[in-house]
Amino acid sequence: MRVIIEPNYDKMSKWAADYVAARIIEANPTPEKPFKLGCPTGSSPLGLYKELIKKYEAGELSFQNVVTFNMDEYVNLPEEHPESYHSFMWNNFFSHIDIKRENVHILNGNAPDLTAECEAYEAAIEAAGGIDLFMGGVGPDGHLAFNEPGSSLTSKTRVKTLTTDTIIANSRFFDGDLSLVPKQALTVGIGTVMAAKEVLLVCNGHHKARALQHIVDGNVSHMWTASMLQMHRKAIVVCDEPACDELTVATYKYYLDKERGNL
Ligand code: GLP
């Protein structure tokens, strides 16, 4: 695992966006051979999306031949609800770039048969040839997408019941009212993310420090599902300084020195 420590949120977002843009440009995608990008929601990737939009506006990057697969979506929340992940993605990213609507994939949390929806999603990822780069955030409890503590580390796309921790954390988007937060979500599995060629996580803020400690310094554990990235051949975690508050001094110094070229 590669760990990039940036001084603050803006620099973290910029580093992540530069990396994603470089990967897309390098792949030189075409309609026949598009670049497949996995997309997260949440406040963490907002800066990353803003930076990618800037690159598109500056003419440095096009999403014409990019196919996206989102990580997750709430169950039974109307698509047009302002807090649905459909709304989030169109408002914060897709409406501002040249992506083709037919190239966007987001799980349908209102599908009549949720299991069939999840199976079809996995099949669509496979039919597309797999995901080239899965971007992600992390929950304060170390969850990746909606793979809550205790999730199988080989899981595929399925319905998950949210933990109380996540319901409380996400209630900030629902006027702080826990009763308004959906209790279930459809989510790609840890196995789905692990199957991507590359994974790039953004992790910022002191409230994520314990999660980062478990992901970087801890053991692989289904109680901190993002820790499974330790087993990925090409995983990068980009974080800001406050997120490093719980890392051991040795780990912190190692990753800083390594990226500065002092090692
Ligand atoms: C939700 C999403 C995750 C996201 C997490 C953290 O639970 N399903 O994909 O990583 O929130 O969100 P934030 O970035 O707002 O802290």
Side-chain angles (χ1 to χ4, degrees), residues 82-258:
E83 294 305 334
S84 78
Y85 287 173
H86 280 77
S87 298
F88 177 98
M89 289 309 297
W90 285 98
N91 294 338
N92 294 302
F93 191 37
F94 297 147
S95 300
H96 308 280
I97 55 171
D98 60 345
I99 194 150
K100 294 181 186 138
R101 188 166 275 271
E102 65 269 25
N103 284 349
V104 168
H105 299 86
I106 308 180
L107 282 152
N108 176 7
N110 295 289
D113 183 341
L114 294 175
T115 304
E117 169 68 14
C118 294
E119 281 167 7
Y121 202 70
E122 281 290 335
I125 293 174
E126 213 176 299
I131 290 174
D132 293 305
L133 172 58
F134 225 131
M135 307 183 290
V138 60
D141 60 358
H143 74 234
L144 181 57
F146 269 128
N147 292 285
E148 299 286 37
S151 292
S152 155
L153 296 178
T154 58
S155 50
K156 293 290 183 181
T157 306
R158 69 219 183 286
V159 184
K160 279 302 287 186
T161 299
L162 307 187
T163 61
T164 306
D165 272 357
T166 298
I167 292 170
I168 292 172
N170 289 5
S171 67
R172 69 192 194 280
F173 301 114
F174 295 85
D175 298 326
D177 185 343
L178 302 192
S179 72
L180 297 179
V181 185
K183 305 295 176 284
Q184 288 193 315
L186 303 186
T187 179
V188 295
I190 293 294
T192 318
V193 178
M194 289 295 288
K197 292 191 187 88
E198 277 191 76
V199 184
L200 174 73
L201 284 198
V202 283
C203 181
N204 64 283
H206 179 78
H207 64 304
K208 299 289 173 69
R210 197 142 300 137
L212 192 68
Q213 176 197 39
H214 280 272
I215 295 166
V216 175
D217 271 335
N219 302 323
V220 172
S221 162
H222 71 162
M223 295 313 286
W224 300 83
T225 54
S227 65
M228 186 60 180
L229 290 182
Q230 291 174 21
M231 304 289 284
H232 198 283
R233 291 174 68 184
K234 213 163 178 205
I236 304 180
V237 182
V238 199
C239 51
D240 66 358
E241 284 282 346
C244 297
D245 283 353
E246 301 276 349
L247 292 185
T248 60
V249 173
T251 306
Y252 174 79
K253 283 183 66 183
Y254 173 71
Y255 283 116
L256 266 188
D257 285 347
K258 195 156 144 314

